[in-house]
Amino acid sequence: MIRIAVCEDEQILLEQLTDDIKNILNKHSVIYSIKAYENGNALLAREKFDILFLDIAMQPLNGLDLARRLRARGDESKLVFITAHRQYAIDAYDVQAFHYLIKPVDLKKLEAVLLNLCSILKGEYEHALTVCQGTLVRRIPFEQILYLEVMNRKIYLHKNEEAVPFYGRLNELEPMLPDTFFRCHRSYIVNFNHVNHYKKEAIWLDNGLIVPLSRRRYQAFGLAFMYYLKERGDVF
């Protein structure tokens, strides 16, 4: 499901844009949820969305300042600005805006932008793991994940320079991961893409970190890793 928010301080325009978005997505059978906000402060207090349509000239918090606050707290939503003023275009790109639509919004242009965003998000969903940290939702590309570890009832997703904690169970998470991931220990799942070598009780990753390998999973790990290398063409 694609989660969308529309933020516009003019009620009539807010309702019109929200209805236009619904009609386009219904026409193309896209599964979505959409929420409408009349001010940026209300939006800041809510969960993360996949797509944000923001009016720039809002009060008391304008769309650009709202976007800056969202980016500062790690929000990676796709931003589409709606405004009657072209002079804000450069500022919009400073907050990594996906697009910039001029009022009155052309329906064909809105449809093209929406469908493009839906295509991009679909690709991201298929190649990333979505984790929830309170109200913050993050999508982390599988290729960036070194390994996952359970500790004190939390899962820690390890990247090169960050450990991302979130609540969950490895048993529930494991089926969501591609074949390049392997449950090498009761408390660990490792990404073959980052395995350098292994021995009976340990796996060395390409950044020097060591992940435990349980004895009862050693043989299965070896077979799975060999299959992975053959699939990549590294073993003949």
PDB file of all heavy atoms in Angstrom, residues 4 26 47 50-51 78 82 94 96 105-106 123 132 165 189 220:
ATOM      1  N   ILE A   4      -0.143   8.242   1.272  1.00  0.00           N
ATOM      2  CA  ILE A   4      -0.047   9.583   0.696  1.00  0.00           C
ATOM      3  C   ILE A   4      -0.634  10.597   1.659  1.00  0.00           C
ATOM      4  O   ILE A   4      -1.653  10.335   2.311  1.00  0.00           O
ATOM      5  CB  ILE A   4      -0.794   9.652  -0.652  1.00  0.00           C
ATOM      6  CG1 ILE A   4      -0.222   8.614  -1.633  1.00  0.00           C
ATOM      7  CG2 ILE A   4      -0.720  11.050  -1.255  1.00  0.00           C
ATOM      8  CD1 ILE A   4      -1.066   8.434  -2.877  1.00  0.00           C
ATOM      9  N   ASN A  26      -7.421   5.215  -8.328  1.00  0.00           N
ATOM     10  CA  ASN A  26      -8.505   4.245  -8.525  1.00  0.00           C
ATOM     11  C   ASN A  26      -8.569   3.794  -9.982  1.00  0.00           C
ATOM     12  O   ASN A  26      -8.798   2.614 -10.280  1.00  0.00           O
ATOM     13  CB  ASN A  26      -9.841   4.860  -8.108  1.00  0.00           C
ATOM     14  CG  ASN A  26      -9.952   5.032  -6.603  1.00  0.00           C
ATOM     15  OD1 ASN A  26      -9.285   4.344  -5.842  1.00  0.00           O
ATOM     16  ND2 ASN A  26     -10.800   5.963  -6.176  1.00  0.00           N
ATOM     17  N   GLU A  47       2.526   9.894  11.382  1.00  0.00           N
ATOM     18  CA  GLU A  47       3.501   8.919  10.906  1.00  0.00           C
ATOM     19  C   GLU A  47       4.050   9.322   9.539  1.00  0.00           C
ATOM     20  O   GLU A  47       3.534  10.225   8.889  1.00  0.00           O
ATOM     21  CB  GLU A  47       2.856   7.532  10.812  1.00  0.00           C
ATOM     22  CG  GLU A  47       1.858   7.358   9.674  1.00  0.00           C
ATOM     23  CD  GLU A  47       0.456   7.830   9.978  1.00  0.00           C
ATOM     24  OE1 GLU A  47       0.269   8.511  11.006  1.00  0.00           O
ATOM     25  OE2 GLU A  47      -0.444   7.527   9.188  1.00  0.00           O
ATOM     26  N   ASP A  50       4.663   7.792   2.219  1.00  0.00           N
ATOM     27  CA  ASP A  50       5.507   7.520   1.056  1.00  0.00           C
ATOM     28  C   ASP A  50       5.586   8.730   0.130  1.00  0.00           C
ATOM     29  O   ASP A  50       6.642   9.038  -0.419  1.00  0.00           O
ATOM     30  CB  ASP A  50       4.958   6.318   0.271  1.00  0.00           C
ATOM     31  CG  ASP A  50       4.984   5.044   1.088  1.00  0.00           C
ATOM     32  OD1 ASP A  50       6.066   4.671   1.543  1.00  0.00           O
ATOM     33  OD2 ASP A  50       3.914   4.439   1.272  1.00  0.00           O
ATOM     34  N   ILE A  51       4.463   9.409  -0.043  1.00  0.00           N
ATOM     35  CA  ILE A  51       4.383  10.562  -0.944  1.00  0.00           C
ATOM     36  C   ILE A  51       3.724  11.720  -0.206  1.00  0.00           C
ATOM     37  O   ILE A  51       2.681  11.543   0.432  1.00  0.00           O
ATOM     38  CB  ILE A  51       3.572  10.244  -2.218  1.00  0.00           C
ATOM     39  CG1 ILE A  51       4.150   9.033  -2.950  1.00  0.00           C
ATOM     40  CG2 ILE A  51       3.527  11.454  -3.147  1.00  0.00           C
ATOM     41  CD1 ILE A  51       3.282   8.543  -4.114  1.00  0.00           C
ATOM     42  N   LYS A  78       8.741  10.950  -0.702  1.00  0.00           N
ATOM     43  CA  LYS A  78       8.835  11.625  -1.993  1.00  0.00           C
ATOM     44  C   LYS A  78       8.011  12.912  -1.914  1.00  0.00           C
ATOM     45  O   LYS A  78       6.817  12.868  -1.627  1.00  0.00           O
ATOM     46  CB  LYS A  78       8.292  10.734  -3.112  1.00  0.00           C
ATOM     47  CG  LYS A  78       8.830   9.308  -3.119  1.00  0.00           C
ATOM     48  CD  LYS A  78      10.315   9.244  -3.351  1.00  0.00           C
ATOM     49  CE  LYS A  78      10.768   7.791  -3.445  1.00  0.00           C
ATOM     50  NZ  LYS A  78      12.240   7.654  -3.466  1.00  0.00           N
ATOM     51  N   ILE A  82       3.268  21.890  -4.541  1.00  0.00           N
ATOM     52  CA  ILE A  82       2.180  22.494  -5.305  1.00  0.00           C
ATOM     53  C   ILE A  82       2.186  23.988  -4.994  1.00  0.00           C
ATOM     54  O   ILE A  82       2.066  24.372  -3.820  1.00  0.00           O
ATOM     55  CB  ILE A  82       0.801  21.909  -4.909  1.00  0.00           C
ATOM     56  CG1 ILE A  82       0.835  20.373  -4.893  1.00  0.00           C
ATOM     57  CG2 ILE A  82      -0.280  22.428  -5.825  1.00  0.00           C
ATOM     58  CD1 ILE A  82       0.990  19.740  -6.233  1.00  0.00           C
ATOM     59  N   ASP A  94      16.415  21.905  -2.984  1.00  0.00           N
ATOM     60  CA  ASP A  94      17.299  21.857  -1.816  1.00  0.00           C
ATOM     61  C   ASP A  94      16.838  20.820  -0.800  1.00  0.00           C
ATOM     62  O   ASP A  94      17.637  20.337   0.013  1.00  0.00           O
ATOM     63  CB  ASP A  94      17.379  23.237  -1.139  1.00  0.00           C
ATOM     64  CG  ASP A  94      18.212  24.228  -1.949  1.00  0.00           C
ATOM     65  OD1 ASP A  94      18.994  23.775  -2.810  1.00  0.00           O
ATOM     66  OD2 ASP A  94      18.074  25.445  -1.716  1.00  0.00           O
ATOM     67  N   GLN A  96      15.382  17.969  -1.776  1.00  0.00           N
ATOM     68  CA  GLN A  96      15.250  16.751  -2.581  1.00  0.00           C
ATOM     69  C   GLN A  96      13.803  16.500  -3.006  1.00  0.00           C
ATOM     70  O   GLN A  96      13.284  15.383  -2.869  1.00  0.00           O
ATOM     71  CB  GLN A  96      15.790  15.521  -1.839  1.00  0.00           C
ATOM     72  CG  GLN A  96      17.256  15.579  -1.459  1.00  0.00           C
ATOM     73  CD  GLN A  96      17.472  16.227  -0.111  1.00  0.00           C
ATOM     74  OE1 GLN A  96      16.835  15.848   0.856  1.00  0.00           O
ATOM     75  NE2 GLN A  96      18.383  17.177  -0.032  1.00  0.00           N
ATOM     76  N   VAL A 105      -3.288  22.857 -11.007  1.00  0.00           N
ATOM     77  CA  VAL A 105      -2.590  21.625 -11.368  1.00  0.00           C
ATOM     78  C   VAL A 105      -3.247  20.980 -12.589  1.00  0.00           C
ATOM     79  O   VAL A 105      -4.461  20.759 -12.621  1.00  0.00           O
ATOM     80  CB  VAL A 105      -2.597  20.643 -10.185  1.00  0.00           C
ATOM     81  CG1 VAL A 105      -1.965  19.314 -10.600  1.00  0.00           C
ATOM     82  CG2 VAL A 105      -1.865  21.236  -9.001  1.00  0.00           C
ATOM     83  N   ASP A 106      -2.424  20.700 -13.577  1.00  0.00           N
ATOM     84  CA  ASP A 106      -2.886  20.005 -14.776  1.00  0.00           C
ATOM     85  C   ASP A 106      -3.066  18.519 -14.448  1.00  0.00           C
ATOM     86  O   ASP A 106      -2.141  17.861 -13.960  1.00  0.00           O
ATOM     87  CB  ASP A 106      -1.858  20.181 -15.901  1.00  0.00           C
ATOM     88  CG  ASP A 106      -2.280  19.485 -17.174  1.00  0.00           C
ATOM     89  OD1 ASP A 106      -3.069  20.055 -17.924  1.00  0.00           O
ATOM     90  OD2 ASP A 106      -1.801  18.341 -17.397  1.00  0.00           O
ATOM     91  N   GLY A 123       9.506  -0.502  -7.021  1.00  0.00           N
ATOM     92  CA  GLY A 123      10.860  -1.016  -7.129  1.00  0.00           C
ATOM     93  C   GLY A 123      11.589  -0.970  -5.798  1.00  0.00           C
ATOM     94  O   GLY A 123      12.327  -1.899  -5.440  1.00  0.00           O
ATOM     95  N   CYS A 132      10.080  -0.179  11.167  1.00  0.00           N
ATOM     96  CA  CYS A 132       9.392   0.897  11.887  1.00  0.00           C
ATOM     97  C   CYS A 132      10.142   1.194  13.174  1.00  0.00           C
ATOM     98  O   CYS A 132      10.415   0.293  13.965  1.00  0.00           O
ATOM     99  CB  CYS A 132       7.957   0.485  12.214  1.00  0.00           C
ATOM    100  SG  CYS A 132       6.938   0.149  10.761  1.00  0.00           S
ATOM    101  N   PRO A 165      17.918  -0.202  15.265  1.00  0.00           N
ATOM    102  CA  PRO A 165      17.106  -1.060  16.140  1.00  0.00           C
ATOM    103  C   PRO A 165      15.612  -0.941  15.837  1.00  0.00           C
ATOM    104  O   PRO A 165      15.107   0.139  15.533  1.00  0.00           O
ATOM    105  CB  PRO A 165      17.417  -0.509  17.533  1.00  0.00           C
ATOM    106  CG  PRO A 165      17.693   0.951  17.298  1.00  0.00           C
ATOM    107  CD  PRO A 165      18.290   1.065  15.915  1.00  0.00           C
ATOM    108  N   ILE A 189      21.100 -13.346  11.277  1.00  0.00           N
ATOM    109  CA  ILE A 189      20.901 -13.593   9.850  1.00  0.00           C
ATOM    110  C   ILE A 189      21.964 -12.785   9.119  1.00  0.00           C
ATOM    111  O   ILE A 189      22.125 -11.591   9.365  1.00  0.00           O
ATOM    112  CB  ILE A 189      19.500 -13.147   9.378  1.00  0.00           C
ATOM    113  CG1 ILE A 189      18.411 -13.994  10.040  1.00  0.00           C
ATOM    114  CG2 ILE A 189      19.388 -13.254   7.862  1.00  0.00           C
ATOM    115  CD1 ILE A 189      16.997 -13.565   9.680  1.00  0.00           C
ATOM    116  N   ALA A 220      24.638 -26.602   6.410  1.00  0.00           N
ATOM    117  CA  ALA A 220      23.628 -25.961   5.571  1.00  0.00           C
ATOM    118  C   ALA A 220      24.123 -24.602   5.070  1.00  0.00           C
ATOM    119  O   ALA A 220      23.886 -24.227   3.916  1.00  0.00           O
ATOM    120  CB  ALA A 220      22.336 -25.791   6.359  1.00  0.00           C
TER     121      ALA A 220
END
